[in-house]
Amino acid sequence: MILYALRRLAAVAGVLLVICAVTFAIFYLLPSDPAAHACGKTCTPEQVTLVREQMGLDRPVPEQFGGYVAGIFAGRTLGTGPAALECSVPCFGYSYQNALPVWDLLTDRLPVSVSLAVGSAVLWLIGGLAVGLVAALRRGTALDRSLMAATLASASVPVYFTAMMLLLILVQQLEWLPYPDYRPITEDPAAWAGNLLLPWMTLASLYAAMYARLTRASMIETMAEPYIRTARAKGLYERTVVTKHGLRSALTPIVTIFGMDLGGLLAGAVITEHVFGLPGVGQLTYDAIFKADQPVVLGVTLLAAFFITLANLGVDLLYALIDPRVRYA
């Protein structure tokens, strides 16, 4: 298992390097000039040229990419001359618009996105599994059809529409919840959860619907397996057959998609954070794209790729715990 994990970590490093190269090429070979964005609209062509030289954009692209990758592990000096800036490890570049290192911006916004992703993941996983399990065990009944119709409607509604409706009903009309405003969990756990409950519900309403349908389909397929009939023939309680033999085997595809979804959300839920005004990585991404702040967009892309690849590694290791057949293989 240790050797397998080490091989997967090496593969993760290779994937991140490829993603870094592709993203770097996309953003630094586009017709738009990063130096012009950094300098501003009032800069003359001579000033833009000077900024391009200070930023090192006049060097060959492979040399720029090598410096970027080396800076992540060893730090680097950004620019030349009196305007040069020292970027400490890990150096993901310097934001043109915020005049701050990209790594500092990411670490400052990351707790908000992690709180949003983890909280909503708990809600959608519990809700999706419960609804899917009930629908599978009541297959073909009115309850099954009603639950699946509700999940289809929930999955079809855009996130921003759900967010606006919840704001209108729960915050403005009923006044049951406060308007979302991030509070660190270390300061006040109750205020942290209360202010994030509305964004959690928004994301959970979408993901729980998809997980419910996936759980139902996986459970129906699993409960028709021969070993389920054997377990029942041995006289096991139905609860044991469903939970220990049925649900445990049906969790394999759910764990796979859960790792992907959680890994993607850890790098920011752009629409949800923007609608609720949460200062997370998603909001930072939105502002960086709107302002063409390329180093920030590149840093966020690498952060998202890291979380997704790390989640995939975690999922592969969890397979052995969930399904004994994988462990024996």
Side-chain angles (χ1 to χ4, degrees), residues 51-118:
V51 170
R52 186 180 294 109
E53 294 176 355
Q54 292 175 343
M55 295 173 62
L57 298 176
D58 57 333
R59 294 179 296 172
V61 174
E63 183 179 346
Q64 295 182 48
F65 177 70
Y68 183 85
V69 175
I72 297 177
F73 301 98
R76 59 178 174 145
T77 301
L78 300 174
T80 57
L85 298 171
E86 292 296 329
C87 186
S88 58
V89 179
C91 179
F92 285 87
Y94 208 79
S95 171
Y96 304 152
Q97 304 296 329
N98 298 284
L100 289 171
V102 173
W103 179 250
D104 291 349
L105 291 173
L106 293 176
T107 53
D108 183 59
R109 305 290 189 98
L110 192 58
V112 182
S113 296
V114 172
S115 299
L116 179 60
V118 173

Side-chain angles (χ1 to χ4, degrees), residues 1 255 258 311-323 326-327:
M1 183 63 72
V255 168
F258 178 74
N312 282 332
L313 175 61
V315 165
D316 289 343
L317 297 178
L318 280 175
Y319 280 164
L321 299 177
I322 296 175
D323 193 342
V326 176
R327 184 164 59 249

